[in-house]
C-alpha cells in the first residue's frame, strides 16, 4: 500500500471519528440544569478579538424565560423560525427555499432553524464547511430529542448574539434600550429580531434600510396575530393601514399564552414564512445560515 493511499485512509478514519463523537459528546442532557456559558461561539469571538488586538469582552446575563417579554419571544419566532413548534429541528421547506435563493443570488441565504442555530452557537463555529454542517445536524437531532421546545427557546434567547460582544436578550435589551428584557415593547422586540441575521453589521436602534424594513414586517405580523395590543389608540381614532405603528404603550401577553402555540390555531395565511420576511444577503453570524 502506497504512503499516499495510507494517508487518505487515515484521514478518512479520522474524519469519521471526528464526526461520530458528536453522537455521544457533549452531554446535551446537561443543558437542562446548567447555563452553558461561555459558548463555543463566544470563545470564537474572543479569539477573533485577540487576533485583531481588540480590547473587547463578552457581555451576557442569563434570565429565565419567565423574565423575557413575550414580545421578543414572538418577534424572534416570526423572524427566525416561524415553524418552530411544528418541526423536529429541521425545516425542509425553509432549507429548500434558502438553497433556491442562494443559487439565484450567488450568496448564502438563511434556512436553519432555531434548534440548528443553538447547536452551532453552543458547540461549533461559524464555519460553512460541510463537515461542520454534519456535526450541526447531529447535535440538532440530539437537542430536539432531549430538550423541550421551551428549554430550547430559553437557551437560544440567552446565547444568541445581538451585537459585537453582546450575547443574550437581557444584555441586548440593556445595551440598546436601557431596560430589562421583560419590559421590551413590541416595536423594540421587532427591531432586535430584525438584526439577528447579522448583528455585527446591523444595529437595532440604527436607521439602516434593511433593519427598518424587516422590523416593520415583523411588527406588522405581530399586530395581525394580536401579539401587541394598543391600550386605547384604536378606540380614539379610526383604524389606519396595518403598517402604522401605534404611539401608545403596548401590553404584553403572558408567557403561558405564548406556549399554547405548541398546538397553533392560527390560519395558514397568518404564517410569516419566507414570503413575509425578506432574506438578507449576509451570512447569519448570529446563529443562522
Amino acid at each position: 500500500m502506497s504512503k499516499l493511499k495510507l494517508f487518505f485512509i487515515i484521514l478518512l478514519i479520522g474524519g469519521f471519528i471526528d464526526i461520530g463523537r458528536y453522537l455521544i459528546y457533549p452531554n446535551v442532557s446537561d443543558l437542562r440544569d446548567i447555563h452553558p456559558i461561555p459558548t463555543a461561539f463566544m470563545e470564537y469571538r474572543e479569539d477573533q478579538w485577540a487576533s485583531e488586538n481588540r480590547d473587547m469582552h463578552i457581555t451576557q446575563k442569563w434570565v429565565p424565560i419567565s423574565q423575557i417579554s413575550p414580545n421578543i419571544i414572538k418577534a424572534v419566532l416570526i423572524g427566525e423560525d416561524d415553524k418552530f413548534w411544528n418541526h423536529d429541528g429541521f425545516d425542509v421547506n425553509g432549507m429548500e427555499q434558502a438553497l433556491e435563493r442562494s443559487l439565484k443570488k450567488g450568496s448564502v441565504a438563511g434556512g436553519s432553524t432555531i434548534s440548528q442555530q443553538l447547536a452551532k452557537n453552543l458547540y461549533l463555529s461559524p464555519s460553512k464547511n460541510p463537515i461542520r454542517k454534519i456535526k450541526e445536524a447531529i447535535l440538532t437531532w440530539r437537542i430536539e430529542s432531549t430538550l423541550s421546545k421551551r428549554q430550547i427557546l430559553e437557551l437560544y434567547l440567552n446565547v444568541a448574539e445581538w451585537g459585537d460582544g453582546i450575547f443574550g436578550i437581557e444584555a441586548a435589551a440593556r445595551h440598546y434600550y436601557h431596560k430589562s428584557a421583560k419590559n421590551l415593547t413590541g416595536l423594540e422586540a421587532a427591531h432586535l429580531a430584525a438584526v439577528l441575521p447579522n448583528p455585527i453589521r446591523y444595529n437595532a436602534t440604527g436607521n439602516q434600510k434593511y433593519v427598518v424594513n424587516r422590523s416593520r414586517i415583523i411588527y406588522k405580523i405581530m399586530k395581525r396575530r394580536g401579539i401587541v395590543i394598543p391600550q386605547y389608540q384604536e378606540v380614539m381614532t379610526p383604524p389606519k393601514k396595518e403598517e402604522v405603528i401605534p404611539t401608545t404603550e403596548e401590553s404584553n401577553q403572558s408567557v403561558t399564552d405564548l406556549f399554547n402555540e405548541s398546538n397553533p390555531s392560527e390560519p395558514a395565511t397568518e404564517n410569516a414564512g419566507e414570503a413575509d420576511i425578506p432574506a438578507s444577503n449576509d451570512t447569519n453570524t448570529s446563529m443562522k445560515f
Side-chain angles (χ1 to χ4, degrees):
M1 181 182 297
S2 68
K3 290 183 179 181
L4 183 60
K5 187 174 182 180
L6 179 61
F7 171 77
F8 280 114
I9 291 175
I10 293 174
L11 190 65
L12 186 61
I13 293 174
F16 278 120
I17 294 173
D18 181 47
I19 294 172
R21 66 192 173 100
Y22 285 96
L23 290 168
I24 57 175
Y25 172 86
N27 186 358
V28 174
S29 298
D30 287 344
L31 295 174
R32 297 194 187 104
D33 307 309
I34 67 170
H35 299 163
I37 305 298
T39 65
F41 205 88
M42 292 177 189
E43 293 174 343
Y44 171 84
R45 278 281 178 250
E46 289 175 331
D47 291 341
Q48 186 180 49
W49 296 331
S51 68
E52 297 171 353
N53 294 318
R54 296 173 64 193
D55 185 17
M56 296 280 292
H57 65 277
I58 298 294
T59 302
Q60 196 275 343
K61 180 179 174 60
W62 196 279
V63 286
I65 201 165
S66 59
Q67 295 299 308
I68 298 175
S69 168
N71 285 323
I72 190 63
I73 295 173
K74 299 294 288 195
V76 167
L77 289 176
I78 289 169
E80 295 292 285
D81 188 358
D82 206 34
K83 299 177 183 177
F84 177 73
W85 302 110
N86 299 321
H87 63 62
D88 57 359
F90 304 95
D91 180 6
V92 177
N93 290 334
M95 288 188 286
E96 289 177 349
Q97 292 170 357
L99 179 60
E100 289 176 2
R101 291 198 304 272
S102 296
L103 293 174
K104 289 179 180 179
K105 298 181 179 181
S107 61
V108 178
S112 58
T113 64
I114 281 176
S115 301
Q116 288 174 280
Q117 295 175 51
L118 178 62
K120 180 189 70 175
N121 193 278
L122 289 178
Y123 302 120
L124 304 169
S125 76
S127 167
K128 295 189 276 294
N129 72 73
I131 299 299
R132 204 278 295 160
K133 294 296 288 183
I134 294 173
K135 294 175 182 177
E136 177 189 292
I138 294 172
L139 288 168
T140 299
W141 169 71
R142 291 181 61 206
I143 286 172
E144 281 277 345
S145 301
T146 305
L147 305 178
S148 68
K149 289 288 189 178
R150 181 188 178 99
Q151 290 169 328
I152 292 172
L153 196 52
E154 181 177 271
L155 284 163
Y156 176 78
L157 290 169
N158 274 288
V159 302
E161 187 178 27
W162 304 83
D164 201 7
I166 304 168
F167 287 83
I169 187 57
E170 183 68 15
R174 293 183 182 278
H175 176 81
Y176 291 110
Y177 297 110
H178 312 291
K179 61 172 66 175
S180 173
K182 67 181 178 181
N183 295 320
L184 288 169
T185 66
L187 186 55
E188 291 166 347
H191 277 269
L192 284 168
V195 305
L196 280 174
N198 195 328
I200 302 300
R201 176 174 180 177
Y202 299 127
N203 188 315
T205 55
N207 60 357
Q208 294 151 306
K209 183 177 180 181
Y210 174 80
V211 176
V212 171
N213 291 340
R214 184 177 173 89
S215 62
R216 184 176 66 245
I217 292 172
I218 292 173
Y219 189 77
K220 174 182 176 181
I221 296 170
M222 291 171 72
K223 288 202 301 177
R224 190 172 71 206
R225 297 181 180 181
I227 307 309
V228 288
I229 307 170
Q231 292 177 332
Y232 60 86
Q233 179 79 3
E234 62 184 8
V235 298
M236 297 295 292
T237 57
K240 297 180 180 180
K241 291 182 179 180
E242 202 168 25
E243 289 78 7
V244 175
I245 298 173
T247 57
T248 58
E249 290 293 318
E250 299 154 347
S251 59
N252 288 343
Q253 292 177 311
S254 70
V255 172
T256 303
D257 291 338
L258 285 179
F259 283 92
N260 286 335
E261 260 193 282
S262 54
N263 292 304
S265 58
E266 295 169 343
T269 56
E270 295 287 289
N271 289 333
E274 297 293 339
D276 286 315
I277 303 297
S280 168
N281 289 331
D282 301 295
T283 300
N284 187 335
T285 58
S286 149
M287 283 185 288
K288 177 179 178 183
F289 287 157

